[in-house]
Amino acid sequence: MQESTADPGGRGILGRVRVADASARVTTFELFFDLVYVFAFTQISMLMADTHTAFGVLQALIVLGLLWWTWCAYSWLANQAPADQGVLQVGMGVAMIAIFLVALVIPEAYEDLPGGWSGPLVLALAYTLVRLVHTGLYLVAAGDDRALRVQVLRTQAVAMVPAAVALIVGAIMGGAAQTWIWLAAFAWDVVFTYASSRGGGGWRLHSPAHWAERYGLVVILALGESIVAIGVGVAREPIDAAIALGTVFAVVLSILLWWAYFARIAEAGEHALQRRADASRVVLARDAYTYLHFAIVAGVILAALGVEDAMAHVGETEPFGGFGAAALASGLALYLLATAAFGRIVDLPWSRVRVGTAVALAASIPLLAVFAPMGALAVAVVVVAASLALEGVVQARRAATPRVP
């Protein structure tokens, strides 16, 4: 574990908190905290579906990125100090309210509805509050660890503060400029957070088990959105054979995505963290989880958008269309490519099968667009299932091949 100058008791600015150790696991309060993100992910999918354009999907992904950055910030905090402590629970409770407000105004994130407050400005201000609360809590959790306190303040000064100001400016300006200003704000935060933590910076990662479990749970939340998408498309339709068969395909697809992550690579991530220490562990946690898992979650949500579009027209024989095909295929391709990259970073061999399947799915968008929705869904299931089956064969052969000393 990384060396720290912190008092074991963790005397903070506002009191004393317990610093996490290697045995720390996810607390029930963290699970409770995540409930607001369940609603937020659903709102993101609805924003994508309502706009039904590539530009609208980009706008939704920007908001998803902002939400992701808040979730990651609190995942680092909870690894520093368990979240089942009074001051952290109070602060995270305030953050939950603010995050729920962000989620609530997602439908008017770019087009303010008549009456009431400005939706974009509420989102920007609530997001800023979430980040400020996180900064205060992290300073408390850092206790007497001066290096960590300096790291927190440096990162917020060069990354978070300029980004938050840009978000507020973009919300006030509105129009097309808002989208590009918000994209630039998110990119600034991401890039300068990375730059400020070069070589691990002064960050700490106390519990690999907590960390791997935490990110596994957020993947589960995203997969839950893929399940919700099945029902959203047909919830108000009378059940028939097409809906039943489409549901089978869609649920099987979600199971395959679960299998691709949890049965194949999740455990390797935790083991890789355990094998590393100090700054090397922090760098792996940052790259493989904080950054790369955004692509994994975005892939699931994009695929869920495609599933929802397919289920909404599951009994029709007309072509699926470019929007639904692109969402489904690109989401699955992004998920497979990101999980392949994650596996490689955590010391597994490159999964050439996943990379090849991702390329094939991306190239198949024009073909899926001319299929009926049911057919496009079936093809996606077959391709992903065949990919995982072939990957299993490759892994079995690799395991059976004697290693040359």
Side-chain angles (χ1 to χ4, degrees), residues 189-200:
D189 206 348
V190 168
V191 170
F192 281 89
T193 296
Y194 193 94
S196 71
S197 61
R198 185 172 53 185

Side-chain angles (χ1 to χ4, degrees), residues 258-333:
W258 175 90
W259 185 272
Y261 182 86
F262 290 96
R264 292 281 171 85
I265 61 175
E267 189 175 0
E270 181 177 344
H271 290 166
L273 288 170
Q274 294 282 7
R275 287 192 295 270
R276 289 164 172 80
D278 303 331
S280 178
R281 178 184 288 176
V282 170
V283 168
L284 179 62
R286 180 197 64 191
D287 295 349
Y289 288 90
T290 298
Y291 281 81
L292 190 52
H293 270 60
F294 175 64
I296 294 174
V297 169
V300 174
I301 292 179
L302 279 172
L305 174 64
V307 168
E308 181 180 338
D309 201 28
M311 290 299 296
H313 307 281
V314 71
E316 300 177 7
T317 58
E318 295 296 317
F320 189 24
F323 181 82
L328 181 61
S330 65
L332 293 174

Side-chain angles (χ1 to χ4, degrees), residues 103-115:
L104 202 61
V105 299
I106 284 175
E108 51 178 328
Y110 296 95
E111 294 185 12
D112 188 34
L113 298 177

